[in-house]
């Protein structure tokens, strides 16, 4: 059993327990050789005789030992002594991301994005070293006192040299990928999924899937669609929401394929929050039918044999995994009969495709015309097929009226179509003298038509260099039967919104057929806080239908927002507030949640707008309120001393010890240790007299 004062490896002194997990305990220790504080992770006693747990513990050390990065908790040493298996790691003084989220409710967009970027940077190093973490969750992400983000606990991490690795252990179910939930193949994209869930929780304050049991949650990961984070966090930028959606796609092929690409998009979102730069993957485009030849199947078989052989070499000590690998190899062997069948099927399919293409060409060229009777029969057949399609459409789902997308940006159009249950895809861009670059100039489904829910609408965007013409018309450049298609621009008048509150201004803008652009704030000595100071474009000017109107709201007379410093060190908080032009006063209070030295609250509250030079009072934690040790009365028994401790509010551990005393009679209390104050859950030793020590000459 590990106790305070235990020395491991003749250098690491155990000082105190700082945490516990499923298979290990973590202690604060001191490396006397290098004179530094460390974290010592020790395998729990009940698992030390279990070869499987010991192996997993050593694998964690091996996985993390070679990962040196500022965003990964560094492993210094690993060893075992008298059956005690331990890992010596960097000691990070701070708080877990889970506790940080619980404390703040939800994080700011900038803060959440910054944390996600740092986690991505750490995972990039792991992935580049063929290490999949497989248990990314807020509990395994530490924020240091300096604000540095560290990824820790590679407890179920696995090294791999192939594209995939079989997961025998599932991470925390609220953050587990669908492939983990079903016990399938797991690779680096599972970490990306888990990080997406973490980002969701940071910006919304909740996990997307929850339930009473782990099985319930796992099923939701597999089957249910995630509620968009914007429902719980309306202010989330479009780009960040798309990043989270791409990370948490059910299919790994639709997620980010590389953590570096995710990190690049996160950085871009800070620069262009409303940008439409996240490339979502459409599996319909990827899922093309490919005819496999005999040579192709042979290559696939050989590739599978190589990968399976590698997996067997890595897991040769795990009998169950070896058996699974052998079963998989047997299942994936293709018999000659199956190969011949696949080849024949491919040839037949190719012939059918050729025949269909010939028939289509003959129809276009007018070859092989039949009699009027045949034509009539064909028309009847087509009419019957159309009726069947209409019937099928009516039975399968609803139809919606196609809106006009002309003049809208791709992002605006996507929002409109998604609300109607329609899909969108980009077509080729074309020059336009009617619309500005990036605006939609044509759509595959005409506005006003009834279209089936789920239909994909192809839009044509104005190419770079496009400018609106003075007469409000533009030729799309496309012709049908020698006729040029011309579209008339629709102009609307911008309503006046200066002096209105935010909600009234937004309602007036949308009612005029326009969209709300950026909403910013600025100080004003004349306009009441919360009312519109200015707008762009100006009131009563003309602009394209669907265009953006930007508004600036008053924050009152030159007021500044109180910075969120809750959870910061007192000195750091004072520096930040003073830098914003505030005077700072400090109060102290006891706190059961915040360690000593951290800011518990501010007055005025964080986010409040106040005059520069105003006083902001920060309340700093003194830690948990200490219990005052009662005095020892003459003639007090051990039981009476314990009762006095309880009456004082002590709820910790009481130990009894004895000592000789010349002044206190046998069986009576001599003193407490400690003698002044103690943590409510700490340990107090009560010393009882043995009487006067006898001496022998």
């Amino acid at each position: 059993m590990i106790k305070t004062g235990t020395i491991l490896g003749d250098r690491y002194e155990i000082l105190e327990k700082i945490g516990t997990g499923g298979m290990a305990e973590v202690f604060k220790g001191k490396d006397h050789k290098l004179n530094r504080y460390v974290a010592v992770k020790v395998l729990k006693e009940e698992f030390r005789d279990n070869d499987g747990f010991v192996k997993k513990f050593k694998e964690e050390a091996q996985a993390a030992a070679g990962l040196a990065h500022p965003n990964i908790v560094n492993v210094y040493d690993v060893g075992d002594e008298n059956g005690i298996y331990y890992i010596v790691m960097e000691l990070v003084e701070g708080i877990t991301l889970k506790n940080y989220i619980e404390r703040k409710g939800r994080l700011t967009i900038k803060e959440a994005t910054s944390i996600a970027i740092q986690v991505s940077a750490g995972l990039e190093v792991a992935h580049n070293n063929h290490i999949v973490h497989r248990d990314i969750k807020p509990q395994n992400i530490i924020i240091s006192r300096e604000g540095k983000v560290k990824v820790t606990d590679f407890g179920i991490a696995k090294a791999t040299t192939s594209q995939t690795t079989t997961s025998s252990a599932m991470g925390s179910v609220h953050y587990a990928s669908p492939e983990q939930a079903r016990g399938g193949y797991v690779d680096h994209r599972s970490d990306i999924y888990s990080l997406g869930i973490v980002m969701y929780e940071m910006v919304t304050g909740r996990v997307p899937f929850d339930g009473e049991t782990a099985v319930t949650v796992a099923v939701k990961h597999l089957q249910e669609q995630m509620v968009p984070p914007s429902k719980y966090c309306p202010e989330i930028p479009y780009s960040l929401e798309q990043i989270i959606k791409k990370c948490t796609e059910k299919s790994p092929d639709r997620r980010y394929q590389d953590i570096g690409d995710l990190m690049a998009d996160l950085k871009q979102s800070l620069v262009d929050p409303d940008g439409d730069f996240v490339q979502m993957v459409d599996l319909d485009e990827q899922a093309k039918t490919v005819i496999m030849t005999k040579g192709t199947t042979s290559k696939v078989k050989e590739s599978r044999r190589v990968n399976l052989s590698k997996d067997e070499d890595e897991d040769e000590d795990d009998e169950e995994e070896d058996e699974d690998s052998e079963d998989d190899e047997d299942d994936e062997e293709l018999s000659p009969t199956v190969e011949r069948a696949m080849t024949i099927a491919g040839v037949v399919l190719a012939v059918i495709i050729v025949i269909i293409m010939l028939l289509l060409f003959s129809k276009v060229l007018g070859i092989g015309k039949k009699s009027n009777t045949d034509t009539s029969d064909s028309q009847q057949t087509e009419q019957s097929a159309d009726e069947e399609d209409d019937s099928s459409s009516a039975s399968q789902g609803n139809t919606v009226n196609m809106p006009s997308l002309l003049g809208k940006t791709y992002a605006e159009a996507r929002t409109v179509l998604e609300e109607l249950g329609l899909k969108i895809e980009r077509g080729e861009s074309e020059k336009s003298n009617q619309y500005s670059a990036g605006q939609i100039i044509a759509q595959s489904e005409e506005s006003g038509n009834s279209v089936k829910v789920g239909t994909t609408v192809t839009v044509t965007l104005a190419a770079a260099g496009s400018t609106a013409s003075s007469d409000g018309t533009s030729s799309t450049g496309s012709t049908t039967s020698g006729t040029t298609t011309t579209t008339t621009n629709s102009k609307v008048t911008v309503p006046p919104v200066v002096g209105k509150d935010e909600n009234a201004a937004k309602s007036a803008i949308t009612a005029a057929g326009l969209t709300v652009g950026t909403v910013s704030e600025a100080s004003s000595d004349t306009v009441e806080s919360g009312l519109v100071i200015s707008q762009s474009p100006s009131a009563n000017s003309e602009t394209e239908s669907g265009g953006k109107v930007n508004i600036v709201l008053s924050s009152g007379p030159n007021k500044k927002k109180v910075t969120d410093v809750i959870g910061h060190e007192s000195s750091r908080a004072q520096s930040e507030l003073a830098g914003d032009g505030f005077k700072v006063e400090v109060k102290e209070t006891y706190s059961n949640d915040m360690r000593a030295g951290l800011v518990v609250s501010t007055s005025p509250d964080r986010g409040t707008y106040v005059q520069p030079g105003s006083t902001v009072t920060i309340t700093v934690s003194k830690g948990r309120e200490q219990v005052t040790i009662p005095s020892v009365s003459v003639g007090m028994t051990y039981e009476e001393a314990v009762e006095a401790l309880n009456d004082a509010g002590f709820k910790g551990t009481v130990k009894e010890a004895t000592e000789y005393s010349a002044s206190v009679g046998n069986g009576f209390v001599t003193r407490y240790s400690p003698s002044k104050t103690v943590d409510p859950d700490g340990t107090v030793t009560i010393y009882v007299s043995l009487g006067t020590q006898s001496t022998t000459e």
Side-chain angles (χ1 to χ4, degrees), residues 493-498 500-516 535 549:
T493 301
V494 179
V497 296
V498 173
K500 299 180 182 291
D501 62 35
E502 182 177 1
N503 291 333
K506 290 180 177 179
S507 297
I509 292 170
T510 54
L514 301 168
T515 58
V516 180
Q535 64 180 92
V549 178

Side-chain angles (χ1 to χ4, degrees), residues 1 46 323 345 481 490 522:
M1 182 177 178
E46 59 263 34
E323 292 174 1
S481 302
S490 129

Side-chain angles (χ1 to χ4, degrees), residues 531-553:
L531 301 183
V532 178
I533 301 174
S534 62
Q535 64 180 92
S536 176
S538 60
N540 301 317
S541 63
E542 288 193 343
T543 187
E544 290 91 354
S545 176
K548 291 184 178 181
V549 178
N550 305 317
I551 60 176
V552 180
L553 300 175

Side-chain angles (χ1 to χ4, degrees), residues 631-684:
S631 60
V632 178
S633 301
V634 176
M636 179 182 287
T637 65
Y638 173 80
E639 289 75 17
E640 291 171 336
V642 172
E643 185 177 356
L645 275 173
N646 294 334
D647 292 342
F650 182 71
K651 300 179 181 178
T653 303
V654 179
K655 294 182 178 180
E656 183 180 4
T658 57
E659 63 181 5
Y660 292 103
S661 175
S663 59
V664 179
N666 183 24
F668 296 103
V669 175
T670 60
R671 61 188 175 96
Y672 297 99
S673 180
S675 60
K676 296 181 179 180
T677 61
V678 65
D679 189 275
D681 297 323
T683 300
V684 174

Side-chain angles (χ1 to χ4, degrees), residues 20-132:
T20 185
M23 58 184 289
E25 296 174 317
V26 183
F27 299 86
K28 181 179 180 180
K30 187 172 184 180
D31 182 355
H32 288 282
K33 188 174 183 179
L34 298 177
N35 194 30
R36 64 181 177 185
Y37 291 104
V38 294
V40 184
K41 189 172 187 177
V42 180
L43 185 65
K44 288 183 176 179
E45 188 173 4
E46 59 263 34
F47 300 134
R48 293 172 191 170
D49 295 328
N50 188 308
D51 293 340
F53 281 102
V54 172
K55 179 184 177 184
K56 189 178 294 294
F57 191 75
K58 291 181 177 179
E59 285 177 347
E60 173 184 357
Q62 294 170 358
L67 303 179
H69 191 269
N71 296 118
I72 296 177
V73 175
N74 293 315
V75 173
Y76 297 145
D77 194 7
V78 60
D80 64 269
E81 183 175 315
N82 299 323
I84 299 175
Y85 299 90
Y86 63 91
I87 302 172
V88 182
M89 303 177 295
E90 172 189 6
L91 179 65
V92 182
E93 298 281 1
I95 186 175
T96 67
L97 178 58
K98 187 68 174 180
N99 291 336
Y100 193 54
I101 295 172
E102 291 174 347
R103 179 184 300 169
K104 300 190 68 173
R106 64 186 190 190
L107 310 188
T108 65
I109 300 301
K110 186 176 181 180
E111 193 172 25
T113 305
S114 175
I115 291 172
I117 290 173
Q118 293 187 66
V119 174
S120 298
L123 287 177
E124 185 178 38
V125 173
H127 293 174
N128 289 340
N129 284 274
H130 309 293
I131 301 295
V132 183

Side-chain angles (χ1 to χ4, degrees), residues 139-193:
Q139 295 89 330
N140 287 338
I141 299 169
I142 302 175
I143 303 173
S144 71
R145 294 178 178 178
E146 297 77 25
K148 182 67 90 176
V149 177
K150 301 267 189 179
V151 181
T152 186
D153 199 356
F154 283 74
I156 60 172
K158 188 175 182 73
T160 177
T161 55
S162 61
Q163 290 294 323
T164 58
T165 171
T166 302
S167 174
S168 60
M170 185 173 66
S172 299
V173 69
H174 287 92
Y175 309 92
S177 65
E179 55 268 28
Q180 284 179 288
R182 63 173 174 264
Y185 286 101
V186 174
D187 62 10
H188 60 282
R189 295 171 296 182
S190 293
D191 286 348
I192 292 174
Y193 180 94

